[in-house]
Amino acid sequence: MTPKDSLSLAAARRIALAAQGLARPRREGPVSRRRLLAEVERLGLLQIDSVNVLARAHYLPLFSRLGPYDTGLLDAAAWGKPRRLFEYWAHEASLLPFDLHPLLRWRMAQAERGDSGWTSLRAFSGERRQEAEAVLARITAEGPLAASDFEGARRSGWWEWSHAKQALEWLFWSGKVTTFTRRASFERVYDLPERVLPREILALPTPSREDAQRSLLLHSARALGIATARDLRDYFRLSPADAAPRIVELAEEGALIPVRVRGWRDLAYLHPEAPRPRRAEGQALLAPFDPLIWERSRTERLFGMRYRIEIYTPAEKRVHGYYVYPFLLRDSLAARVDLKADRKTRTLLVQSSHQEPGAPPDTTERLAAELRLMADWLGLESVHVAPRGDLAFALGDAVRLC
């Protein structure tokens, strides 16, 4: 495919930041429900993750873009009334705007046939289907239930699910149940889609698999601004076989513009409506599952940062820390900090802090202000910087001056 333009890496970086809502300073003032939902629409999804060392993963991308906001607004949109979001498998487990529901029904149908979803659950489409049907019958008769509500269901870790939990997760993959709410422990409570989701959403026509995938790729392109084929398919976890022909079709239609980014090996695709700012002026701490950086090869291509999550790395082998947040300053990832909320002492712990090569001169001061802002949002009274990392002593001094 012939590229129609050539862009510098700096230009591509600014396009990506603008598409993600990170190129401008945050607006001042309280964050309304409408503003919050507009940001979710821009991103297309919020990834859900069980780690709560600082805050739940789905809350953090909105803080990065909007600043301090009432997380109750997101809770209400996801699990309250009137509901505006639903849970399903998209990038990973995700909160999604309603208009994406029809676009993911092909994935639900695939899971029901046993053609997708975790291998360990696929038996429920065949020889174990009666088990799943029995679980579904109880929910139909009794109303919303969690795995722990089933007799004999033991509370178990992620890798030691009960039979009831396995059946529930297959039903969830298949679209036969959805999330009614989340308990205080963040345990998912399941119910029938027709009792949770608006009728008008369920009544929307189901597009063909190909049309749905084209639409998902366009959502990816809009959220990313500029992206390779790998980036585009990763956003909603499409397979290469599914994504490749759809991307060609979209490029032929002019819905994606093939371009070269100088320094990138692979062809890139520009969304026709992607803004092209002359400079980037934002700043934010980025959670490990933030859509700007969750595709690690893209993070390295855009910013020159090799970023890995080290949760599963033995402590003595970690380079930067357990749950590390890159710090975006204007158009660079200028530093990274390992953060933890100590709720007993009401302290934001900076367990290590490292500056990136070529970081701007005001990195330490700006990062200290961002840490103080985050602490206030989380209801923490102080920020403590541990003496680990090449930025630690300067950052500790800057935090004390905030």
Side-chain angles (χ1 to χ4, degrees):
M1 194 174 297
T2 305
K4 297 186 178 181
D5 198 357
S6 177
L7 301 174
S8 69
L9 178 58
R13 200 159 44 227
R14 292 192 299 270
I15 291 169
L17 289 169
Q20 283 280 307
L22 289 164
R24 295 180 181 177
R26 301 183 187 103
R27 284 168 49 189
E28 295 184 1
V31 176
S32 66
R33 176 185 175 92
R34 181 176 180 179
R35 229 176 109 197
L36 180 143
L37 289 173
E39 203 61 40
V40 179
E41 289 282 348
R42 180 209 297 270
L43 298 177
L45 59 90
L46 298 173
Q47 185 173 337
I48 298 170
D49 188 77
S50 60
V51 176
N52 193 23
V53 66
L54 184 73
R56 296 286 182 192
H58 57 285
Y59 294 127
L60 290 161
L62 295 178
F63 170 75
S64 299
R65 290 152 179 81
L66 301 173
Y69 74 97
D70 178 4
T71 57
L73 292 175
L74 182 56
D75 291 342
W79 303 295
K81 292 183 179 181
R83 191 178 300 245
R84 291 291 181 267
L85 306 172
F86 74 102
E87 285 190 40
Y88 191 60
W89 291 98
H91 183 75
E92 292 289 338
S94 304
L95 284 170
L96 302 136
F98 281 147
D99 62 348
L100 292 183
H101 190 275
L103 305 184
L104 292 165
R105 291 176 191 163
W106 64 271
R107 183 170 284 169
M108 298 174 190
Q110 212 175 35
E112 184 177 5
R113 294 192 303 269
D115 295 334
S116 68
W118 293 317
T119 305
S120 60
L121 302 182
R122 295 185 185 187
F124 289 101
S125 65
E127 62 266 27
R128 297 185 68 184
R129 195 176 189 104
Q130 284 189 337
E131 293 178 53
E133 294 293 348
V135 168
L136 183 61
R138 269 199 65 180
I139 293 174
T140 302
E142 299 177 28
L145 293 171
S148 58
D149 295 322
F150 285 79
E151 295 90 352
R154 56 187 174 86
R155 289 193 174 273
S156 56
W158 182 261
W159 304 114
E160 297 177 322
W161 281 356
S162 67
H163 293 309
K165 176 63 174 175
Q166 290 176 349
L168 284 163
E169 282 301 305
W170 178 79
L171 291 166
F172 182 80
W173 268 104
S174 303
K176 294 180 179 296
V177 299
T178 190
T179 304
F180 172 70
T181 191
R182 292 271 186 168
R183 291 180 176 166
S185 62
F186 210 56
E187 183 183 23
R188 184 185 279 147
V189 181
Y190 305 82
D191 201 1
L192 305 180
E194 55 267 32
R195 297 198 298 227
V196 174
L197 305 180
R199 291 180 182 177
E200 59 270 23
I201 299 303
L202 296 175
L204 290 173
T206 300
S208 69
R209 175 186 174 124
E210 293 76 15
D211 285 345
Q213 290 170 352
R214 274 189 288 269
S215 293
L216 289 171
L217 287 164
L218 284 177
H219 275 80
S220 303
R222 188 175 295 109
L224 293 170
I226 188 167
T228 65
R230 175 176 178 169
D231 302 335
L232 290 172
R233 68 175 185 258
D234 174 75
Y235 211 81
F236 288 98
R237 290 290 201 251
L238 299 178
S239 71
D242 281 335
R246 307 290 84 80
I247 290 172
V248 170
E249 292 160 6
L250 290 168
E252 289 175 347
E253 295 168 9
L256 294 177
I257 302 171
V259 295
R260 283 285 176 197
V261 175
R262 293 191 282 279
W264 287 14
R265 180 188 64 186
D266 296 329
L267 188 68
Y269 298 88
L270 179 71
H271 192 279
E273 298 173 6
R276 298 197 190 192
R278 293 183 178 179
R279 58 184 180 271
E281 299 293 338
Q283 71 178 45
L285 286 161
L286 302 170
F289 302 114
D290 189 288
L292 180 68
I293 59 171
W294 65 27
E295 214 301 302
R296 307 308 189 202
S297 67
R298 174 178 168 83
T299 303
E300 194 161 356
R301 274 183 277 116
L302 276 172
F303 299 102
M305 175 186 276
R306 187 180 187 278
Y307 176 56
R308 298 294 184 271
I309 191 165
E310 297 181 83
I311 290 175
Y312 304 111
T313 303
E316 67 276 8
K317 294 184 178 180
R318 290 177 193 142
V319 177
H320 296 103
Y322 179 80
Y323 205 66
V324 172
Y325 290 66
F327 176 55
L328 172 71
L329 180 56
R330 293 183 282 275
D331 67 348
S332 69
L333 296 182
R336 50 183 123 191
V337 285
D338 180 20
L339 301 180
K340 178 179 180 179
D342 186 332
R343 296 173 179 90
K344 289 184 179 179
T345 63
R346 301 188 70 182
T347 302
L348 176 60
L349 302 177
V350 184
Q351 301 186 113
S352 70
S353 47
H354 296 82
Q355 183 165 292
E356 292 299 298
D362 58 346
T363 294
T364 306
E365 174 189 349
R366 294 293 192 109
L367 176 54
E370 196 68 19
L371 289 166
R372 182 66 67 182
L373 185 71
M374 175 175 274
D376 291 344
W377 173 61
L378 294 172
L380 304 173
E381 295 177 350
S382 61
V383 179
H384 172 72
V385 181
R388 287 190 292 275
D390 59 16
L391 191 58
F393 292 105
L395 183 59
D397 289 343
V399 164
R400 285 189 285 274
L401 293 173
C402 276

